[in-house]
């Protein structure tokens, strides 16, 4: 019943935001998908009813997000940049939706060996105060003797950098794309570290990173 409103008030503004961000995102990684379309960079409003858990939920989502990732088929395996709007505000950041066990194992190896890509990532993260390192932690610490500054990176099952906001003035301002792009550039070294992890994983498994 509100399809026209949905396209005018949600899809069109999201597509415009994707187009504004695309040049800067391609500077970070020229393999990112930047097409301003649903199922390319913009989420669908329909829930996937093939998933059993969704069948007892409303047919339509009450949130919308955009995603910059190399390959949508590897949504659960590759790091991505995102921006999401919900009824309570919005969030943005970068990381894994669900990192593989192999990715996290290799990441910990690079962290503990003080790999150059990780040192750049850590320096970029510690130089800012906008993003928080998030992810489900293990119930029992796996690295209780590791240096305190490394444990947030080592003790999680998956990793993302997230900023939460309720600043509606920013959300509906002409400055949103610029603010997001500045923030995304700031954490680009962390993204490149994650891509280093994925490149190594693909090499070890005999595959090729998209």
């Amino acid at each position: 019943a509100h399809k026209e409103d949905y396209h005018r008030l949600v899809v069109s503004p999201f597509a415009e935001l994707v187009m504004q961000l695309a040049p800067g995102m391609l500077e970070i990684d020229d393999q990112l998908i930047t097409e301003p379309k649903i199922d390319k960079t913009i989420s669908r409003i329909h829930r996937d009813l093939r998933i059993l858990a969704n069948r007892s939920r409303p047919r339509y989502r009450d949130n919308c997000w955009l995603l910059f990732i190399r390959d949508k088929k590897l949504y659960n395996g590759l790091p991505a940049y995102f921006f999401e709007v919900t009824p309570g505000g919005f969030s943005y950041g970068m990381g894994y939706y669900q990192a593989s066990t192999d990715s996290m194992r290799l990441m910990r190896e690079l962290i503990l060996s003080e790999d150059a890509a990780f040192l750049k990532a850590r320096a970029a993260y510690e130089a800012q105060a906008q993003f928080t390192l998030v992810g489900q932690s293990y119930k029992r610490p796996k690295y209780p003797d590791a240096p305190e500054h490394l444990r947030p990176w080592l003790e999680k099952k998956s990793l993302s950098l997230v900023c939460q906001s309720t600043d509606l003035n920013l959300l509906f301002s002409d400055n949103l794309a610029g603010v997001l792009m500045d923030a995304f550039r700031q954490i680009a070294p962390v993204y490149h570290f994650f891509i280093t992890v994925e490149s190594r994983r693909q090499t070890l498994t005999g595959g090729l990173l998209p």
Side-chain angles (χ1 to χ4, degrees):
H2 298 281
K3 188 173 183 179
E4 290 185 5
D5 291 337
Y6 164 65
H7 281 278
R8 177 172 59 88
L9 299 172
V10 180
V11 177
S12 292
F14 263 80
E16 182 178 351
L17 182 59
V18 169
M19 289 187 288
Q20 291 174 333
L21 293 172
M25 298 309 302
L26 291 172
E27 289 176 5
I28 293 174
D29 183 351
D30 62 9
Q31 296 185 54
L32 291 172
I33 297 170
T34 58
E35 292 181 64
K37 297 179 180 178
I38 293 174
D39 267 347
K40 292 294 185 179
T41 52
I42 304 170
S43 64
R44 292 176 293 174
I45 192 171
H46 296 85
R47 296 188 191 277
D48 188 347
L49 297 182
R50 293 172 298 178
I51 299 173
L52 184 61
N54 283 342
R55 296 177 187 175
S56 60
R57 306 174 70 185
R59 180 181 179 184
Y60 302 108
R61 295 187 175 102
D62 61 0
N63 61 330
C64 186
W65 65 86
L66 62 80
L67 197 72
F68 292 106
I69 193 170
R70 285 188 172 187
D71 189 337
K72 283 295 293 291
K73 295 189 297 293
L74 299 178
Y75 176 59
N76 287 350
L78 287 179
Y81 280 90
F82 73 91
F83 168 78
E84 179 182 20
V85 176
T86 70
F90 63 99
S91 62
Y92 54 95
M94 182 279 303
Y96 291 92
Y97 176 71
Q98 188 175 12
S100 71
T101 301
D102 286 341
S103 293
M104 295 307 297
R105 175 178 56 81
L106 290 169
M107 185 183 300
R108 295 183 189 102
E109 290 178 3
L110 294 177
I111 291 171
L112 292 171
S113 67
E114 297 187 329
D115 182 84
F118 171 66
L119 294 180
K120 291 179 181 178
R122 182 187 148 209
Y125 175 69
E126 293 180 352
Q128 58 81 47
Q130 189 171 176
F131 293 96
T132 301
L133 197 64
V134 302
Q136 185 180 3
S137 298
Y138 289 100
K139 292 182 179 179
R140 293 185 178 182
K142 288 183 173 291
Y143 297 87
D145 299 325
E148 193 64 30
H149 63 275
L150 296 182
R151 290 190 62 194
W153 298 83
L154 295 169
E155 298 287 3
K156 289 183 170 58
K157 299 178 181 180
S158 190
L159 281 174
S160 294
L161 275 64
V162 179
C163 177
Q164 302 276 357
S165 179
T166 56
D167 186 353
L168 298 185
N169 289 327
L170 172 61
L171 180 62
F172 292 103
S173 78
D174 294 335
N175 298 326
L176 179 62
V179 170
L180 292 178
M181 197 66 248
D182 287 345
F184 288 166
R185 287 193 180 100
Q186 197 169 27
I187 56 174
V190 186
Y191 174 78
H192 293 144
F193 170 55
F194 290 166
I195 289 296
T196 296
V197 171
E198 293 307 314
S199 297
R200 179 166 298 195
R201 180 174 67 85
Q202 293 292 326
T203 298
L204 291 175
T205 59
L208 295 174
L209 186 66

